[in-house]
Amino acid sequence: QAPPAPASPSEKAVGPDADLAYATAPVLLDGEALFRVRGTSTYPAEERARRIAGRIEEVARTASLAPEAVQAVPADEVMNIAAGERFLVAVTDADARLEGISRGLLATVYVDRIQGGLRAYRQARQPQVLLRGAQYALVATAVLLLAVLALRWAFRRLEARVSRLYEQKIHSVQFQSFEILRAQRIRGALRVVIRALRMATGASLVYFWLHFALGSLPLTRPLAARLLTLVLAPVSRLGGGLLAALPDLAFLLVLYLITRWA
């Protein structure tokens, strides 16, 4: 059997920069973090983690390679972790210093986590597990539909209650136009609040349904792990755009007030 492929030069410690605490990134398999790896000034942690995850996933898809085939092999200044002849990751002294343990011990930890990740990856793709995940997703969909119907009924009752209170207020004040106007404004404000609450509750239900349904199947599990980020990213961009536009909006407001005064 041929020895494992040598470590990529970009994965080795590079001079004095190896002592710096560069940013780390998780190595993901099926949306689950196996471990974190550091980066360097020329090899970002995200890129290194992505490549390692890709190599581990290739091994996971190769049924002929048992998880026990993943072993740590000493090499020059690094510990190479490989599955048979397939190189996976190089553990450097810089990686070990970042974790505060020896290079050999860190390589052992990586091996254990990779083996566990391979077993979980293959177990999640067994036919009976896929069938059970699909059943869970269908049950979650049924629960969502019932919750939407119950939510619709509850908010209709609430709006009817607000309308009755408004009618009682109108009859009590009779011809006092000021009180009637104030009651109308209160009613309009309450309707806006109720509709906003209904939309927020409905959006929350859909989010939790998506998170559970996507997490029930291995192919969509990584998307479920990133769902919150996907939802919040547009909101964050909109908020950033609004903050950036505030000076222009303030200028337009001042210009409008001056023009109206003139």
Side-chain angles (χ1 to χ4, degrees), residues 43-68:
Y43 195 33
E46 292 80 8
E47 176 67 15
R48 184 186 179 197
R50 185 184 63 81
R51 293 187 180 184
I52 294 171
R55 292 193 287 262
I56 294 175
E57 187 169 356
E58 288 181 2
V59 172
R61 293 175 178 175
T62 306
S64 59
L65 285 174
E68 292 74 19

Side-chain angles (χ1 to χ4, degrees), residues 3 5 25 35 68 122 187 201 204 242 252:
F35 48 85
E68 292 74 19
R122 294 173 182 177
R187 183 191 185 189
T201 307
S204 299
L242 179 60
L252 292 176

Side-chain angles (χ1 to χ4, degrees), residues 57-261:
E57 187 169 356
E58 288 181 2
V59 172
R61 293 175 178 175
T62 306
S64 59
L65 285 174
E68 292 74 19
V70 178
Q71 298 294 330
V73 181
D76 295 337
E77 300 180 359
V78 297
M79 290 288 290
N80 282 335
I81 298 177
E85 298 181 358
R86 300 193 183 190
F87 168 74
L88 298 180
V89 55
V91 182
T92 67
D93 287 331
D95 294 323
R97 279 195 295 271
L98 191 62
E99 299 293 339
I101 57 179
S102 66
R103 187 175 65 196
L105 181 57
L106 183 60
T108 302
V109 172
Y110 282 9
V111 167
D112 291 340
R113 293 184 179 178
I114 292 174
Q115 290 181 354
L118 295 179
R119 295 188 185 96
Y121 183 96
R122 294 173 182 177
Q123 176 65 26
R125 283 157 179 77
Q126 295 295 323
Q128 61 273 21
V129 177
L130 293 175
L131 179 60
R132 186 166 59 247
Q135 291 172 346
Y136 288 159
L138 289 176
V139 171
T141 303
V143 171
L144 173 68
L145 293 176
L146 292 175
V148 169
L149 292 175
L151 182 67
R152 185 178 180 183
W153 175 82
F155 276 99
R156 280 187 173 181
R157 291 286 303 273
L158 182 59
E159 288 184 355
R161 176 67 175 170
V162 170
S163 297
R164 286 196 300 270
L165 291 176
Y166 171 76
E167 295 297 336
Q168 293 174 3
K169 181 68 174 176
I170 293 299
H171 288 305
S172 64
V173 298
Q174 294 181 354
F175 299 105
Q176 299 178 22
S177 59
F178 178 76
E179 292 293 336
I180 292 176
L181 180 60
R182 187 170 65 175
Q184 289 175 341
R185 289 179 177 178
I186 293 176
R187 183 191 185 189
L190 286 176
R191 281 187 171 180
V192 171
V193 171
I194 291 173
R195 290 174 182 174
L197 184 60
R198 181 171 58 188
M199 291 180 61
T201 307
S204 299
L205 288 175
V206 172
Y207 169 79
F208 286 115
W209 167 73
L210 275 176
H211 190 276
F212 183 84
L214 294 176
S216 300
L217 299 172
L219 293 179
T220 56
R221 195 168 295 145
L223 181 59
R226 297 176 54 241
L227 185 60
L228 183 61
T229 302
L230 294 175
V231 171
L232 293 182
V235 177
S236 177
R237 286 196 295 269
L238 287 174
L242 179 60
L243 289 177
L246 283 180
D248 295 334
L249 293 176
F251 170 76
L252 292 176
L253 177 62
V254 172
L255 182 62
Y256 165 76
L257 293 176
I258 292 176
T259 304
R260 183 175 181 180
W261 175 80

